[in-house]
Amino acid sequence: MTRSSSWDMPLRTRLVVRAVARERGSIATLDPREIPIVRAWTAPARPPYSWITGRVRRDVTIGATAFRARDGHQVAVRTYRPTGTGAAPLPVLVWFHGGGWVLGNTQSYDPVCSAVAHDAGVLVVSVDYRLAPEFRAPQAALDCVDAVRWVASAGTALGARTEGIGVAGDSAGANLAAVVAQVVQSEGGAQLTHQSLVYPAVDATMSQPSIAEHADAPVLTRADMEAFLSYYLGEGPDALDRRDPLVSPLYAAQLAGLPPALVQTADLDPLRDDGAVYARALRDAGVEVTLTNYPRVPHGFLSFPGATAARWAPCDELITWVARHAHRPRVG
């Protein structure tokens, strides 16, 4: 039996998630022709929107560049550098945005990425990886792996300190960060010092208990998850199996040796147990893990902190984690 958890949230959270639902609609019922329109939407960077999303730091320089992926495609990236650092080499955080591998864009994450860049003293590189249904799995994962390897090889030109690279993301972006950490660990191409996974999707079999418990939760429902995965995986003989580690990093054969991980989950989220079980698997493999579950908040809390019970605590924790690990290069 499932139940709605909306009454466990503060009134301000309920009002915001209802407004988001009206603005975006559900991916489960969205006309595929509307996907590009919804994908491109970004909240204006001014009050009253910024009271909810957080402000974009003015003391951070936002830039744009691109790299060539393994198939020759030019992948755009959005960069965030604290002002006053010039071309001095900084540790790098490579950020992968959320949106179920179907929606989302880099500009929507300006508040989060600019805050991390400024307060953690890092260069943030946000990757505009290719999205479904135009590009099926594992294209997004391959673009993100290529992005990290590009950062490692182009450090001087970027003003990046290539021995201090971390990966991070939320939801589908956290899935991609986890996949990238595994691929780079096993195949090389970069040295990662940390990973930050915010309400990660790590098990595409959708078998974790919280998915049934919060099947009708605000922001993300079980039906939404099925729709996102349907777009991302596609059908036919070339579709990846749901247990393939490029889709479900929980099922990787080897987790030992991965970089330290921060895992943040929302208590009123179908993906809550995805994060918890992955944190446990990492810890069992000897990986340093910090797991924080935020009560009374739904999926997506990093994108509307001003409206949640947790407020800015998750972003502050993320910044503290990144700063501690980015400025302490991994040994070995």
PDB file of all heavy atoms in Angstrom, residues 23-38:
ATOM      1  N   GLU A  23       3.659  23.845 -13.685  1.00  0.00           N
ATOM      2  CA  GLU A  23       4.539  24.417 -14.713  1.00  0.00           C
ATOM      3  C   GLU A  23       5.096  23.348 -15.634  1.00  0.00           C
ATOM      4  O   GLU A  23       5.113  23.500 -16.855  1.00  0.00           O
ATOM      5  CB  GLU A  23       5.699  25.163 -14.028  1.00  0.00           C
ATOM      6  CG  GLU A  23       6.677  25.812 -14.990  1.00  0.00           C
ATOM      7  CD  GLU A  23       6.104  27.022 -15.682  1.00  0.00           C
ATOM      8  OE1 GLU A  23       5.241  27.712 -15.084  1.00  0.00           O
ATOM      9  OE2 GLU A  23       6.507  27.286 -16.829  1.00  0.00           O
ATOM     10  N   ARG A  24       5.567  22.249 -15.054  1.00  0.00           N
ATOM     11  CA  ARG A  24       6.254  21.224 -15.834  1.00  0.00           C
ATOM     12  C   ARG A  24       5.355  20.068 -16.221  1.00  0.00           C
ATOM     13  O   ARG A  24       5.515  19.461 -17.276  1.00  0.00           O
ATOM     14  CB  ARG A  24       7.453  20.692 -15.035  1.00  0.00           C
ATOM     15  CG  ARG A  24       8.388  19.809 -15.847  1.00  0.00           C
ATOM     16  CD  ARG A  24       9.389  19.092 -14.953  1.00  0.00           C
ATOM     17  NE  ARG A  24       8.765  17.982 -14.221  1.00  0.00           N
ATOM     18  CZ  ARG A  24       9.432  17.165 -13.401  1.00  0.00           C
ATOM     19  NH1 ARG A  24      10.712  17.376 -13.168  1.00  0.00           N
ATOM     20  NH2 ARG A  24       8.817  16.186 -12.778  1.00  0.00           N
ATOM     21  N   GLY A  25       4.406  19.721 -15.351  1.00  0.00           N
ATOM     22  CA  GLY A  25       3.619  18.527 -15.576  1.00  0.00           C
ATOM     23  C   GLY A  25       4.424  17.290 -15.238  1.00  0.00           C
ATOM     24  O   GLY A  25       5.575  17.359 -14.827  1.00  0.00           O
ATOM     25  N   SER A  26       3.827  16.137 -15.430  1.00  0.00           N
ATOM     26  CA  SER A  26       4.490  14.871 -15.147  1.00  0.00           C
ATOM     27  C   SER A  26       5.088  14.299 -16.426  1.00  0.00           C
ATOM     28  O   SER A  26       4.436  14.292 -17.478  1.00  0.00           O
ATOM     29  CB  SER A  26       3.490  13.871 -14.555  1.00  0.00           C
ATOM     30  OG  SER A  26       4.033  12.570 -14.540  1.00  0.00           O
ATOM     31  N   ILE A  27       6.308  13.822 -16.345  1.00  0.00           N
ATOM     32  CA  ILE A  27       6.943  13.197 -17.507  1.00  0.00           C
ATOM     33  C   ILE A  27       6.142  11.985 -17.969  1.00  0.00           C
ATOM     34  O   ILE A  27       6.152  11.641 -19.156  1.00  0.00           O
ATOM     35  CB  ILE A  27       8.400  12.793 -17.178  1.00  0.00           C
ATOM     36  CG1 ILE A  27       9.140  12.317 -18.439  1.00  0.00           C
ATOM     37  CG2 ILE A  27       8.430  11.718 -16.109  1.00  0.00           C
ATOM     38  CD1 ILE A  27       9.380  13.374 -19.470  1.00  0.00           C
ATOM     39  N   ALA A  28       5.399  11.382 -17.043  1.00  0.00           N
ATOM     40  CA  ALA A  28       4.607  10.201 -17.384  1.00  0.00           C
ATOM     41  C   ALA A  28       3.452  10.531 -18.318  1.00  0.00           C
ATOM     42  O   ALA A  28       2.978   9.668 -19.068  1.00  0.00           O
ATOM     43  CB  ALA A  28       4.073   9.536 -16.117  1.00  0.00           C
ATOM     44  N   THR A  29       2.985  11.785 -18.296  1.00  0.00           N
ATOM     45  CA  THR A  29       1.867  12.187 -19.152  1.00  0.00           C
ATOM     46  C   THR A  29       2.259  13.261 -20.151  1.00  0.00           C
ATOM     47  O   THR A  29       1.431  13.714 -20.939  1.00  0.00           O
ATOM     48  CB  THR A  29       0.705  12.710 -18.288  1.00  0.00           C
ATOM     49  OG1 THR A  29       1.155  13.797 -17.484  1.00  0.00           O
ATOM     50  CG2 THR A  29       0.176  11.606 -17.369  1.00  0.00           C
ATOM     51  N   LEU A  30       3.498  13.670 -20.131  1.00  0.00           N
ATOM     52  CA  LEU A  30       3.966  14.739 -21.016  1.00  0.00           C
ATOM     53  C   LEU A  30       4.019  14.255 -22.463  1.00  0.00           C
ATOM     54  O   LEU A  30       4.520  13.168 -22.758  1.00  0.00           O
ATOM     55  CB  LEU A  30       5.361  15.190 -20.582  1.00  0.00           C
ATOM     56  CG  LEU A  30       5.907  16.494 -21.169  1.00  0.00           C
ATOM     57  CD1 LEU A  30       5.096  17.676 -20.669  1.00  0.00           C
ATOM     58  CD2 LEU A  30       7.375  16.658 -20.778  1.00  0.00           C
ATOM     59  N   ASP A  31       3.493  15.051 -23.364  1.00  0.00           N
ATOM     60  CA  ASP A  31       3.608  14.754 -24.794  1.00  0.00           C
ATOM     61  C   ASP A  31       5.080  14.835 -25.180  1.00  0.00           C
ATOM     62  O   ASP A  31       5.750  15.832 -24.875  1.00  0.00           O
ATOM     63  CB  ASP A  31       2.806  15.781 -25.592  1.00  0.00           C
ATOM     64  CG  ASP A  31       2.718  15.454 -27.080  1.00  0.00           C
ATOM     65  OD1 ASP A  31       3.754  15.077 -27.671  1.00  0.00           O
ATOM     66  OD2 ASP A  31       1.629  15.606 -27.646  1.00  0.00           O
ATOM     67  N   PRO A  32       5.638  13.799 -25.813  1.00  0.00           N
ATOM     68  CA  PRO A  32       7.053  13.824 -26.185  1.00  0.00           C
ATOM     69  C   PRO A  32       7.463  15.069 -26.956  1.00  0.00           C
ATOM     70  O   PRO A  32       8.610  15.514 -26.856  1.00  0.00           O
ATOM     71  CB  PRO A  32       7.212  12.559 -27.034  1.00  0.00           C
ATOM     72  CG  PRO A  32       6.156  11.634 -26.530  1.00  0.00           C
ATOM     73  CD  PRO A  32       4.990  12.523 -26.173  1.00  0.00           C
ATOM     74  N   ARG A  33       6.525  15.671 -27.695  1.00  0.00           N
ATOM     75  CA  ARG A  33       6.843  16.881 -28.446  1.00  0.00           C
ATOM     76  C   ARG A  33       7.090  18.078 -27.535  1.00  0.00           C
ATOM     77  O   ARG A  33       7.691  19.077 -27.948  1.00  0.00           O
ATOM     78  CB  ARG A  33       5.712  17.192 -29.434  1.00  0.00           C
ATOM     79  CG  ARG A  33       5.559  16.160 -30.559  1.00  0.00           C
ATOM     80  CD  ARG A  33       4.303  16.401 -31.354  1.00  0.00           C
ATOM     81  NE  ARG A  33       3.115  16.219 -30.555  1.00  0.00           N
ATOM     82  CZ  ARG A  33       1.864  16.304 -31.015  1.00  0.00           C
ATOM     83  NH1 ARG A  33       1.660  16.600 -32.299  1.00  0.00           N
ATOM     84  NH2 ARG A  33       0.830  16.120 -30.216  1.00  0.00           N
ATOM     85  N   GLU A  34       6.612  17.972 -26.288  1.00  0.00           N
ATOM     86  CA  GLU A  34       6.796  19.063 -25.330  1.00  0.00           C
ATOM     87  C   GLU A  34       8.107  18.956 -24.558  1.00  0.00           C
ATOM     88  O   GLU A  34       8.490  19.893 -23.850  1.00  0.00           O
ATOM     89  CB  GLU A  34       5.629  19.085 -24.343  1.00  0.00           C
ATOM     90  CG  GLU A  34       4.278  19.373 -24.984  1.00  0.00           C
ATOM     91  CD  GLU A  34       3.145  19.292 -23.979  1.00  0.00           C
ATOM     92  OE1 GLU A  34       3.002  18.246 -23.318  1.00  0.00           O
ATOM     93  OE2 GLU A  34       2.417  20.298 -23.848  1.00  0.00           O
ATOM     94  N   ILE A  35       8.784  17.829 -24.664  1.00  0.00           N
ATOM     95  CA  ILE A  35      10.007  17.610 -23.888  1.00  0.00           C
ATOM     96  C   ILE A  35      11.046  18.712 -24.116  1.00  0.00           C
ATOM     97  O   ILE A  35      11.601  19.254 -23.147  1.00  0.00           O
ATOM     98  CB  ILE A  35      10.584  16.211 -24.163  1.00  0.00           C
ATOM     99  CG1 ILE A  35       9.712  15.154 -23.482  1.00  0.00           C
ATOM    100  CG2 ILE A  35      12.038  16.100 -23.683  1.00  0.00           C
ATOM    101  CD1 ILE A  35      10.126  13.724 -23.760  1.00  0.00           C
ATOM    102  N   PRO A  36      11.361  19.087 -25.370  1.00  0.00           N
ATOM    103  CA  PRO A  36      12.364  20.155 -25.555  1.00  0.00           C
ATOM    104  C   PRO A  36      11.976  21.471 -24.894  1.00  0.00           C
ATOM    105  O   PRO A  36      12.847  22.211 -24.424  1.00  0.00           O
ATOM    106  CB  PRO A  36      12.434  20.292 -27.082  1.00  0.00           C
ATOM    107  CG  PRO A  36      11.992  18.966 -27.611  1.00  0.00           C
ATOM    108  CD  PRO A  36      10.926  18.513 -26.659  1.00  0.00           C
ATOM    109  N   ILE A  37      10.675  21.774 -24.839  1.00  0.00           N
ATOM    110  CA  ILE A  37      10.221  23.017 -24.225  1.00  0.00           C
ATOM    111  C   ILE A  37      10.432  22.965 -22.719  1.00  0.00           C
ATOM    112  O   ILE A  37      10.977  23.891 -22.106  1.00  0.00           O
ATOM    113  CB  ILE A  37       8.740  23.269 -24.558  1.00  0.00           C
ATOM    114  CG1 ILE A  37       8.544  23.401 -26.070  1.00  0.00           C
ATOM    115  CG2 ILE A  37       8.233  24.519 -23.825  1.00  0.00           C
ATOM    116  CD1 ILE A  37       7.099  23.458 -26.494  1.00  0.00           C
ATOM    117  N   VAL A  38      10.007  21.872 -22.100  1.00  0.00           N
ATOM    118  CA  VAL A  38      10.161  21.712 -20.658  1.00  0.00           C
ATOM    119  C   VAL A  38      11.645  21.644 -20.293  1.00  0.00           C
ATOM    120  O   VAL A  38      12.083  22.216 -19.288  1.00  0.00           O
ATOM    121  CB  VAL A  38       9.431  20.446 -20.181  1.00  0.00           C
ATOM    122  CG1 VAL A  38       9.687  20.202 -18.705  1.00  0.00           C
ATOM    123  CG2 VAL A  38       7.931  20.576 -20.446  1.00  0.00           C
TER     124      VAL A  38
END
